[in-house]
Amino acid sequence: MMSEQQKVEAFAKEYFDQLAPYVRLASVSAKHQHIEETADWLQQKFQTLGAKQTAQWHEFGGSPMVFAEFDGQSERTVLFYNHYDVQPPEPLDEWHTDPFEPTFLPDGTVRARGISDDKGELMSRLTALQYLQDHGGLPCHVKFMVEGEEEVGSTHFEQYVDAHKAELASDLCVWEGGSVNEQEHFNVSGGVKGILAFDLKVQTADVDLHSSLGAYADNAAWRLMDALTSLRTPDRKLAVDGYYDLVAPMSDSTKQAVAKMDFDAEGFKQRAGLRTPFLRDDPKLASVNEPSLTVNGFNAGYNGSGVKTVIPKVATAKLDCRLAQGQTPKACFDLIRKQLDKNGFSDVEMTFNLGEDPFRSDLDSKVYQTVTDVAKAVYGDDNVNVVPNSAGGGPQAPVANSLNVPIVSVGCGYYGSGAHAPNESLRVKDYQTGTYYMVALLRALQ
Amino acid sequence: MMSEQQKVEAFAKEYFDQLAPYVRLASVSAKHQHIEETADWLQQKFQTLGAKQTAQWHEFGGSPMVFAEFDGQSERTVLFYNHYDVQPPEPLDEWHTDPFEPTFLPDGTVRARGISDDKGELMSRLTALQYLQDHGGLPCHVKFMVEGEEEVGSTHFEQYVDAHKAELASDLCVWEGGSVNEQEHFNVSGGVKGILAFDLKVQTADVDLHSSLGAYADNAAWRLMDALTSLRTPDRKLAVDGYYDLVAPMSDSTKQAVAKMDFDAEGFKQRAGLRTPFLRDDPKLASVNEPSLTVNGFNAGYNGSGVKTVIPKVATAKLDCRLAQGQTPKACFDLIRKQLDKNGFSDVEMTFNLGEDPFRSDLDSKVYQTVTDVAKAVYGDDNVNVVPNSAGGGPQAPVANSLNVPIVSVGCGYYGSGAHAPNESLRVKDYQTGTYYMVALLRALQ
């Protein structure tokens, strides 16, 4: 007799064809292609699956947000967050197959734009839902919010969540972006770092000057370098008064989780071809709980071939700060501005670009325990990697704050998915097991 | 009765038409336009003026160098250095008149591409020569070397000078680039600073990394900024061991000349729209005798609009160093390389781009005294500005070293000539008086 895991895994493969049209819709939000068509397909699919109600929210503009609600047996409600938009497929000549035709390959993967980020993940969740409908019905209430602007900055997402608190009320929010890591361990991630992005600009003269004046006339490139390096300590931490005071202390459970967490330092160094040592003695801890100050870009003067003997009048830089728990973009922006002024660089202009708060679920909460217990049951006790919060970002804080709900990121991606790159893929086995995990999780919330 | 000055000034105006075809030849070296034609015109003109011998040297390739020799009454020989090539006239739509038609304007200027840099200067010298031929003959021997690659880096110049030492033998080399400054003082400049230009590049990884790794993964932009700022002291001098030891001490005459030299600090600040203080308490001294380290360009990562959360794998910078007397490009390059290694940046690649030695004439030499005495006689005692060496560069050192000759830069340009810019111009009065100065200088060398 087949186990339920075997049944779900077989069903996931069988049911794939019925969901494949979702991948064929080239819903590239950067070009606003097939957005409404994809939202319609999704709403229709939710209805077919027996939703109690569905909606497309578009009162604030942007791509419509698709909502669906399914009744279940228990009082508990799981809210799934996904997005139906994808990255542009370009460069097209690097794809080995049609980016919008899901293609099963001999190595056990399935390839398509969005198959990992994030259409495959939603397909896996819909498959779990259909399986449960066919085998005794949903064990708990299930809701979906699927936005269409994730790849272009989730511009309207927070507004929609805030306006639809009541419809979105839930006990657990299951986020996108889950995966199996390089150690073949199933990631259970309970949050994100925050982010602050800003531009710097300094102008030292009305015109570019001849470099023969360089012995006494100031230079925008030097000035911006001086300003930037004044923001770092010799050991490459932020030299910004009060910056680290904002970082919330870690709970004991978080400390324990970090201690147990996978971190393949050597593998990462090799894959990235890293040529310098890590900036921190404990990069694993830094990935969870340390702020960063990253220069994304720096531009000044002449950068072509040959020689141009010029003193640039303007220099610009683009930066992002990853924020630890407790820090907010606004507070960090203000502290950096204050520090630049204090360091004598009030002429350096600072322009806010974007900000997102950090968020971390309470690892001790009952529902979080259920998530990890089910993961251990499905993947094995030693194959579950609890990440208190990822090093990356995402709009989790507004959801958690608006809905007062823990958030966990679990799914069916893998370390080699190549999200945003040509030949994006999923491993079929991860898709199958990830689908069974969702069935098991919903059953556990009965 | 007219003075000789009045006669020469009248003749300069009258004779202009006969030389105007030289300006009409659009000898743009960057596009190798009308180069041979212009060299031919010049050689022909030298013959018409009664040269003892003329030549076009082209054995090393590049644009031909035009040489001419005229016999005179004394044993002394003056060698004029000029160039017959000009900058491209673009942007054409900013010219108010045809760039290659010398146009006399109501404000007393004459406008054309190259009229200041440097065709008008040679025309003034040819006029002085013709005048002297018509009035008793040349007082001393006169030679001309006129190159056709000055605006594209004088690529073959040094080779030709070296190969033709015998023909170029002289007692004084009168350079191009002379002018009347903002204080309406006639500049007498005895040299140039040297220059070293090089590129820096650092690579920290094989690929651009996601900036969520910024808390521990190194960043090429930060690394290059750290390397560069490690080369400067807090008061913005070069922090390079042994660098200042190479600077030759100034002679007493040089110190006195610097003390008397014009330097319009406030005027420069206003014209350039300078928004920060000078890097030195004594910018005038710095312009003559201090080395510089100028960032001409810096580029890393993403510099477009919006946000790209990336850790750049590569950062590059372009730099030039103006060298004080005593310093050489090779020695300075090696010291900077050594310092980068010592500071822990041996991974920062350093590529030599170009180098020119500094040069300064002996202000106490008899011939230099003659040059300044004649200037005072023509322009007035208080209207001569002796510049021991300019802040800019030029291939004077190879000439001085090959030919063992003092070099002085005097001529008929003015501060508003706009060399390299649209609507380049000369003041007719400067052209006339500058021509008389040349007549008087050659007479003084009888």
Side-chain angles (χ1 to χ4, degrees), chain A residues 206 211 216 272 279 318 320 322, chain B residues 206 211 216 272 279 306 320 322:
Chain A
D206 287 346
S211 71
Y216 56 90
L279 304 177
K318 302 183 84 73
D320 81 53
R322 300 297 173 150
Chain B
D206 288 345
S211 71
Y216 56 91
L279 304 177
D320 81 53
R322 301 297 172 151

Side-chain angles (χ1 to χ4, degrees), chain A residues 193 195 197 203-207 209-219 221-223 225-226 228-229 232 236 263 268 272-280 283 286-287 290-312 318 320 322 347 353-354 391-392, chain B residues 193 195 197 203-207 209-219 221-223 225-226 228-229 232 236 263 268 272-280 283 286-287 290-312 318 320 322 347 353-354 391-392:
Chain A
K193 275 189 177 170
I195 185 171
Q203 179 157 6
T204 46
D206 287 346
V207 287
L209 298 170
H210 195 278
S211 71
S212 60
L213 313 178
Y216 56 90
D218 208 354
N219 179 313
W222 274 123
R223 187 144 183 84
M225 281 194 279
D226 286 346
L228 279 166
T229 52
R232 294 216 303 180
R236 295 132 166 183
F263 192 84
F268 166 68
L274 221 64
R275 297 165 190 210
T276 47
F278 284 131
L279 304 177
R280 297 284 172 272
S287 79
E290 275 203 50
S292 66
L293 179 62
T294 295
V295 176
N296 308 130
F298 191 116
N299 189 52
Y302 175 76
N303 294 294
S305 61
V307 173
K308 187 171 180 185
T309 49
V310 71
I311 299 177
K318 302 183 84 73
D320 81 53
R322 300 297 173 150
D347 56 326
N353 257 333
L354 72 79
Chain B
K193 274 187 177 172
I195 185 171
Q203 179 157 5
T204 45
D206 288 345
V207 288
L209 298 171
H210 196 278
S211 71
S212 59
L213 312 178
Y216 56 91
D218 206 354
N219 179 312
W222 273 122
R223 187 143 183 84
M225 281 195 278
D226 286 346
L228 279 166
T229 53
R232 292 218 305 179
R236 296 132 167 183
F263 192 84
F268 166 69
L274 222 63
R275 299 166 188 209
T276 48
F278 284 132
L279 304 177
R280 297 283 172 271
S287 79
E290 274 203 52
S292 66
L293 179 63
T294 294
V295 176
N296 307 130
F298 191 117
N299 189 53
Y302 176 74
N303 294 293
S305 63
V307 174
K308 187 171 179 184
T309 49
V310 70
I311 299 177
K318 302 182 85 72
D320 81 53
R322 301 297 172 151
D347 56 325
N353 256 334
L354 72 79

Side-chain angles (χ1 to χ4, degrees), chain A residues 96-215:
Chain A
H96 302 314
T97 52
D98 179 350
F100 292 106
E101 182 53 53
T103 308
F104 286 81
L105 300 167
D107 67 357
T109 63
V110 51
R111 177 194 293 152
R113 167 52 80 233
I115 192 70
S116 159
D117 182 14
D118 152 68
K119 285 178 170 173
E121 209 157 53
L122 180 59
M123 287 160 68
S124 164
R125 292 166 187 190
L126 296 178
T127 305
L129 193 129
Q130 179 67 60
Y131 177 89
L132 287 164
Q133 302 273 43
D134 297 344
H135 295 80
L138 292 184
C140 59
H141 297 300
V142 172
K143 293 174 180 177
F144 289 88
M145 56 175 174
V146 190
E147 69 156 321
E149 298 186 320
E150 200 274 345
E151 301 294 3
V152 288
S154 298
T155 324
H156 300 85
F157 178 68
E158 197 169 333
Q159 270 180 297
Y160 285 116
V161 170
D162 231 41
H164 295 277
K165 280 183 201 178
E167 294 100 311
L168 296 171
S170 48
D171 300 289
L172 171 69
C173 175
V174 179
W175 208 256
E176 62 138 357
S179 65
V180 165
N181 69 14
E182 284 87 352
Q183 290 74 42
E184 297 291 346
H185 295 163
F186 182 72
N187 284 327
V188 176
S189 176
V192 288
K193 275 189 177 170
I195 185 171
L196 158 67
F198 60 94
D199 291 351
L200 293 182
K201 178 184 173 183
V202 70
Q203 179 157 6
T204 46
D206 287 346
V207 287
D208 286 349
L209 298 170
H210 195 278
S211 71
S212 60
L213 313 178

Side-chain angles (χ1 to χ4, degrees), chain A residues 369-404:
Chain A
Q369 280 305 318
T370 306
V371 167
T372 50
D373 288 348
V374 174
K376 284 176 184 170
V378 172
Y379 289 90
D381 275 356
D382 297 334
N383 298 327
V384 174
N385 182 44
V386 175
V387 179
N389 60 261
S390 79
Q396 292 191 356
V399 172
N401 295 338
S402 272
L403 310 182
N404 191 25

